[in-house]
Amino acid sequence: MSRRMASLLRRILSPPPVVAVVPLAGLIAPRAGFGRMTLNVETVGPTLARAFRARRLAEVALIINSPGGSATQSDLIAQRVRQHAAEEGVKVTAFVEDVAASGGYWLACAADEILCRETSILGSIGVISASFGFARLLGRIGVERRLYTAGERKSLLDPFLPAREEDIARLKSVQADLHERFKAWVRERRGGKLRGEEALLFSGEVWTGAKAVALGLADGIGEVRSTMRARHGEEVRFAVYGTGRRPWWTRLLPSPEGIVGAATAALEERAAYARFGL
């Protein structure tokens, strides 16, 4: 019997274990982007369900490459991962590629173990909000802003009105609440592994892979194929469950959000990655 036939016979009689690979790449946002990969519980949820139902499942690998985004969607996706892991009794390992920052790191913490490359960027445990102010521009071009509300706090940091200190304080209060939730999640998932002062770890700073490992934000250096083969044998099979992109023909149609909205969204995505030099 040839070696190839022997290998095939072994696969039939004793099927190899399977590692389900789920790529989580792109911005985390509550709605799909125009021709872009967007992560949210609606797009990722079904993919996770399929991955955790894989036959002969030995482990689930999350491939993280995200600069972050929505705190709520990050939380929802992470909780969905933990629910499936508990139901199936399967270990989850996150493999960080280019970046797992802010919401991307939130997703990574859903895993039981976080591995990265020396060149990966991790962290940014914080909350950010950015906008523009056009109040002076409107005055120069002779445009009057008219805003009417029922409820004195209905408006918050209107870009066409001068910023008010009380509005800034309200925004910072919301950011502080979100930051506390983020910190609580990291403590829950990484608490015993974290090394270093929390004031630094939770400052919004980012680190490359080796430094992230030293600080306990990651467990080690590794990549999915060699790591899983070392754990589950050379015969291990990899089943990739992609969240997918929009069908090509839908990307040729006018965007529901309009050309300007699509361009703005693309710029926001580019800016999100550019913050980390990517």
Side-chain angles (χ1 to χ4, degrees):
M1 182 184 298
S2 68
R3 182 178 299 178
R4 184 174 181 180
M5 286 297 296
S7 176
L8 179 61
L9 184 60
R10 284 197 305 272
R11 282 178 173 269
I12 295 174
L13 298 178
S14 181
V18 171
V19 170
V21 180
V22 181
L24 297 177
L27 287 176
I28 305 167
R31 58 190 173 84
F34 179 56
R36 298 173 293 118
M37 186 63 239
T38 304
L39 302 175
N40 55 57
V41 74
E42 182 180 359
T43 59
V44 175
T47 301
L48 291 172
R50 293 195 303 272
F52 277 92
R53 288 198 304 264
R55 296 179 61 186
R56 301 185 304 280
L57 183 62
E59 194 167 340
V60 172
L62 306 177
I63 310 299
I64 309 289
N65 189 3
S66 173
S70 164
T72 299
Q73 293 301 321
S74 301
D75 188 30
L76 288 170
I77 296 171
Q79 292 304 320
R80 189 68 60 88
V81 171
R82 293 317 312 157
Q83 290 166 7
H84 284 304
E87 291 169 1
E88 303 299 332
V90 176
K91 179 179 179 179
V92 180
T93 299
F95 293 87
V96 178
E97 292 190 338
D98 291 279
V99 59
S102 195
Y105 186 69
W106 196 315
L107 298 183
C109 285
D112 301 294
E113 184 179 9
I114 300 175
L115 299 179
C116 60
R117 304 304 300 162
E118 293 89 343
T119 52
S120 302
I121 297 175
L122 296 86
S124 191
I125 303 171
V127 181
I128 187 172
S129 178
S131 64
F132 296 94
F134 301 102
R136 295 175 62 184
L137 175 63
L138 293 185
R140 289 179 180 177
I141 62 177
V143 176
E144 179 185 359
R145 171 66 164 166
R146 296 174 179 175
L147 179 68
Y148 308 98
T149 68
E152 61 183 17
R153 295 196 169 193
K154 182 63 176 177
S155 174
L156 177 65
L157 291 176
D158 188 308
F160 299 103
L161 294 175
R164 301 185 302 175
E165 290 299 324
E166 56 267 35
D167 286 351
I168 296 173
R170 288 168 58 199
L171 176 61
K172 288 187 175 182
S173 176
V174 172
Q175 288 180 321
D177 290 343
L178 294 175
H179 196 197
E180 287 301 319
R181 170 60 188 140
F182 197 170
K183 291 190 288 185
W185 172 244
V186 176
R187 292 190 191 104
E188 176 185 340
R189 301 298 302 160
R190 305 290 304 174
K193 300 177 180 180
L194 295 176
R195 296 180 290 275
E197 295 294 329
E198 283 196 353
L200 175 62
L201 296 177
F202 299 151
S203 68
E205 181 63 273
V206 296
W207 294 272
T208 53
K211 291 182 180 178
V213 172
L215 291 169
L217 296 173
D219 296 288
I221 305 298
E223 59 87 30
V224 63
R225 293 182 68 83
S226 59
T227 298
M228 291 304 169
R229 283 174 172 169
R231 289 180 183 176
H232 305 291
E234 290 294 326
E235 297 295 316
V236 66
R237 289 184 54 208
F238 296 91
V240 180
Y241 294 82
T243 50
R245 298 179 66 87
R246 292 173 57 191
W248 66 269
W249 52 269
T250 66
R251 300 201 293 273
L252 299 178
L253 300 176
S255 168
E257 59 193 345
I259 299 299
V260 174
T264 301
L267 289 173
E268 289 176 349
E269 181 178 28
R270 179 65 261 163
Y273 277 100
R275 288 179 9 204
F276 308 106
L278 302 172

